[in-house]
Amino acid sequence: MKFFVDSAEIDAIAELNDLGMVDGVTTNPSLILKSGRDILEVTKEICDLVDGPVSAEVVALEADDMIAEGRKLAEIAENITVKLPLTWDGLKACKVLSGEGKMVNVTLCFSANQALLAAKAGASFISPFIGRLDDMHIDGLELIEDIRTIYDNYGFETEILAASIRSVNHIQDCAKIGADVITSPPDVIKKLASHPLTDKGLDAFLKDWAKTGQKIL
């Protein structure tokens, strides 16, 4: 499974990247706002830091304008993935931009039908939102399962990029289902290393070690 970091914070991305935990990055207008940075500037900095795909999102609503913005964003670096909303105009833009050889991430997916359309339009990635469906008392993981089944049935190459990850359990379940990628805030990825029994065992080892009176260095 590939790990994408859902952030525009350079320091947080760099920390995980140094550990080999970053296969790509996703950003959106809300994350750009949170960073307080210029979109072109911070996106270029992320692209220079990370080797994998970096999603940069258009903000236009009409297909022609999305295409123009997508082309502008793609000029930032070779690893840019143009992020488009799953609307009819977004699908039109996806078809054009993917036809030009650009990577496209179709986002805000909430149904398997939408994911099917995105694959037909040539999307590199489809981003189903787990947490936002869970907020509506709809099983977001079931959507990942449905998309996986449909894509496998017909050999679509579009990668399932599970988004709106809220917990370590979301990541574990997506891995079991077979999502190609998860994109997650840095803190959730770091929590994957935590377990109370690890902490308890380490504490016991250290107490016993102290009783030996020994040192390694």
Side-chain angles (χ1 to χ4, degrees), residues 11-69:
D11 290 345
I13 296 168
E15 179 186 5
L16 290 170
N17 192 56
D18 288 344
L19 290 173
M21 298 295 175
V22 179
D23 299 298
V25 173
T26 55
T27 68
N28 59 45
S30 298
L31 292 173
I32 296 297
L33 174 63
K34 184 178 179 181
S35 75
R37 303 278 303 279
D38 173 80
I39 182 173
L40 300 180
E41 178 185 274
V42 71
T43 303
K44 179 65 166 64
E45 195 170 337
I46 294 170
C47 288
D48 290 341
L49 177 65
V50 175
D51 291 332
V54 176
S55 288
E57 189 164 346
V58 305
V59 293
L61 298 178
E62 303 294 330
D64 288 345
D65 295 331
M66 289 182 185
I67 293 166
E69 288 184 359

Side-chain angles (χ1 to χ4, degrees), residues 39-129:
I39 182 173
L40 300 180
E41 178 185 274
V42 71
T43 303
K44 179 65 166 64
E45 195 170 337
I46 294 170
C47 288
D48 290 341
L49 177 65
V50 175
D51 291 332
V54 176
S55 288
E57 189 164 346
V58 305
V59 293
L61 298 178
E62 303 294 330
D64 288 345
D65 295 331
M66 289 182 185
I67 293 166
E69 288 184 359
R71 287 170 176 160
K72 174 70 174 179
L73 292 170
E75 292 175 354
I76 296 173
E78 290 185 358
N79 54 331
I80 281 289
T81 300
V82 180
K83 200 172 184 183
L84 301 167
L86 214 162
T87 61
W88 199 248
D89 281 272
L91 292 171
K92 290 179 181 178
C94 176
K95 182 63 175 176
V96 171
L97 293 172
S98 63
E100 294 176 353
K102 297 174 176 58
M103 291 186 291
V104 176
N105 176 2
V106 178
T107 190
L108 292 171
C109 172
F110 294 97
S111 78
N113 286 335
Q114 289 180 316
L116 178 57
L117 290 174
K120 296 282 284 183
S124 309
F125 301 96
I126 183 66
S127 290
F129 278 42

Side-chain angles (χ1 to χ4, degrees), residues 158-175:
T158 301
E159 295 189 55
I160 301 172
L161 198 170
S164 190
I165 298 287
R166 303 278 178 81
S167 69
V168 295
N169 286 338
H170 273 162
I171 296 177
Q172 174 180 290
D173 289 337
C174 283

Side-chain angles (χ1 to χ4, degrees), residues 124-169:
S124 309
F125 301 96
I126 183 66
S127 290
F129 278 42
I130 298 173
R132 295 194 193 183
L133 283 172
D134 288 350
D135 291 343
M136 298 177 63
H137 307 291
I138 299 171
D139 188 351
L141 291 166
E142 187 175 314
L143 173 58
I144 304 297
E145 291 179 343
D146 290 344
I147 297 172
R148 180 77 279 157
T149 297
I150 291 170
Y151 281 10
D152 288 349
N153 280 349
Y154 299 102
F156 287 119
E157 296 182 0
T158 301
E159 295 189 55
I160 301 172
L161 198 170
S164 190
I165 298 287
R166 303 278 178 81
S167 69
V168 295
N169 286 338

